[in-house]
Amino acid sequence: MDRRMVEYEAKKQTPLVAYILLVVFGVVGAHNFYLGRRGQALAQLLFSVVMAGAMLWLFVGFASAEMADVSGGFDDFVRRAWTFYAIGIVWGVGTFAWLVANAIEVPKLIADHNVQLHARLFGTE
């Protein structure tokens, strides 16, 4: 087999790998790193880190406040609980919408990558 063909087979991208990464590690943008979209991958990673940090911060603050001081009353409890849930909903809905949009783009991105790789290796346009 031609060396260029071996290199092409080794470097070409496949939809199966992209979709597995999207389903398993999509929340942190792993599929976008695989597809060469580092800007979007970093944005997804940053979005997830910020949202997870906010959830953790609220959860720890929520739990420690409840154990330390119950003088805030039920209204304060409800306000903090809804803030926690609202951030979780924004994170979940935002991530889901982002992943669906990415899933739709995967075949085109892989085809473009493989065509460019083929053109670079074989000198065709």
Side-chain angles (χ1 to χ4, degrees):
M1 190 184 287
D2 183 6
R3 179 195 58 78
R4 293 177 299 176
M5 193 62 184
V6 171
E7 185 177 354
Y8 174 77
E9 289 297 323
K11 291 183 177 180
K12 77 177 183 178
Q13 295 176 340
T14 63
L16 179 63
V17 172
Y19 283 122
I20 289 172
L21 289 171
L22 186 138
V23 169
V24 178
F25 301 110
V27 72
V28 293
H31 59 291
N32 280 318
F33 281 111
Y34 174 71
L35 295 169
R37 297 167 47 168
R38 284 166 185 65
Q40 191 167 115
L42 289 172
Q44 279 182 304
L45 180 61
L46 181 65
F47 178 70
S48 290
V49 167
V50 167
M51 294 307 270
M55 294 281 290
L56 182 63
W57 179 71
L58 277 170
F59 181 74
V60 168
F62 184 67
S64 64
E66 286 304 311
M67 292 186 169
D69 180 25
V70 291
S71 65
F74 187 70
D75 290 340
D76 193 40
F77 170 81
V78 169
R79 182 184 51 78
R80 283 184 279 157
W82 276 110
T83 303
F84 181 78
Y85 293 129
I87 289 175
I89 289 168
V90 168
W91 185 15
V93 170
T95 299
F96 180 76
W98 205 340
L99 293 179
V100 168
N102 284 174
I104 292 168
E105 294 177 316
V106 163
K108 180 189 178 312
L109 293 170
I110 288 178
D112 290 347
H113 172 270
N114 290 342
V115 165
Q116 290 173 1
L117 177 63
H118 190 277
R120 186 175 54 82
L121 292 175
F122 294 96
T124 59
E125 290 297 321

